[in-house]
């Protein structure tokens, strides 16, 4: 696990696994990309992390980092582990980020202990292949709306499992729960469950720290400047728009047994050198 911050990047090939969080939903430098705009290129924290790792390798006279991203929005943990983990092992990386389970935890029937057992089996498999693993906790939802806040106890239990899994198998942890900055609603997109571009950038810095590396930006977790409270009527109108534009479509897909990622393929299925800064 990460201890004293290191200065060198020892990894040469990184593969990111997961769901919409790692796919980078809502971080779209070339235009807004929500769940219903499938063709707009996405970036996201894992892409930013790969770019930062690659830049440090190049600065040290090493070849650029090779990077693949197999994450697909809407995926539950079991498909992530069944499909993406074997594919990642076949790509022969020396670093994998494996973050999933959030879509499961949104369901009241989620068995968090079983999710943790599944996750640990995958970590064991990755570590046996000689791959370093970066796990990620869930975000603290204490400041979220009521519909999201009800998951807080399940997220906290899952996080405790993640820290224990990391300790047992010498994995790294991206500590989203401990980030003060992402508890600010301005870090979240209109759907309230995905990050904005700034949120993704800050998470990438937290990932560097989780890997035992110094961040590029020492202010990566500083809270945003406070704003005046939102008037109650404006809050209610915003809640109504959110329910109409995001909760209703999500619930409709779920009732029909569908996912926003049903027809999607990984955005970066093959490891390629990252040359951008």
């Amino acid at each position: 696990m990460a201890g004293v911050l290191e200065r060198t990047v020892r990894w040469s090939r990184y593969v990111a696994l997961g769901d919409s969080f790692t796919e980078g939903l809502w971080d779209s430098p070339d235009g807004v990309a929500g769940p219903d705009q499938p063709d707009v290129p996405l970036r996201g924290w894992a892409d930013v992390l790969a770019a930062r790792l690659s830049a440090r390798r190049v600065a040290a006279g090493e070849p650029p980092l090779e990077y693949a991203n197999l994450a697909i929005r809407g995926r539950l943990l079991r498909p992530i582990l069944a499909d993406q983990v074997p594919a990642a092992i076949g790509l022969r990386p020396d670093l994998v980020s494996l973050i999933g389970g959030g879509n499961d935890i949104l369901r009241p029937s989620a068995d968090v202990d079983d999710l943790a057992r599944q996750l640990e089996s995958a970590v064991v498999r990755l570590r046996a292949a000689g791959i370093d693993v970066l796990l990620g906790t869930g975000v603290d939802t204490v400041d979220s709306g009521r519909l999201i806040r009800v998951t807080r106890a399940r997220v906290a239990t899952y996080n405790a499992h993640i820290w224990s899994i990391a300790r047992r198998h010498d994995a790294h942890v991206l500590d989203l729960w401990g980030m003060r900055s992402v508890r600010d609603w301005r870090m979240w997109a209109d759907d309230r469950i995905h990050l904005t571009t700034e949120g993704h950038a800050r998470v990438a810095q937290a990932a560097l720290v989780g890997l035992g590396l110094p961040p590029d930006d020492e202010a990566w977790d500083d809270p945003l400047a406070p704003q005046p409270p939102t008037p109650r009527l404006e809050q209610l109108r915003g809640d109504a728009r959110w329910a109409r534009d995001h909760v209703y479509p999500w619930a409709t897909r779920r009732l029909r047994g569908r996912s926003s990622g049903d027809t999607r393929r990984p955005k970066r299925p093959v490891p390629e050198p990252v040359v951008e800064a």
Side-chain angles (χ1 to χ4, degrees), residues 158-209:
Y158 192 46
N159 288 351
H161 280 298
I162 286 170
W163 282 108
S164 296
I165 292 167
R167 175 184 54 80
R168 285 193 290 268
H169 304 291
D170 197 25
H172 302 268
V173 178
L174 164 54
D175 184 15
L176 295 167
W177 181 279
M179 288 185 67
R180 297 167 299 172
S181 57
V182 297
R183 288 174 56 176
D184 190 302
W185 63 268
R186 286 168 288 177
M187 290 290 180
W188 296 89
D190 290 345
D191 66 0
R192 303 183 183 180
I193 59 173
H194 294 99
L195 293 166
T196 61
T197 293
E198 183 174 359
H200 279 286
R202 291 189 181 225
V203 167
Q205 295 299 310
L208 287 170
V209 173

Side-chain angles (χ1 to χ4, degrees), residues 76-100:
L76 299 174
L77 183 62
R78 190 177 296 276
I80 291 172
L81 303 182
D83 300 334
Q84 297 179 24
V85 169
I89 292 174
L91 297 176
R92 301 175 65 85
D94 47 14
L95 175 65
V96 160
S97 61
L98 173 55
I99 301 178

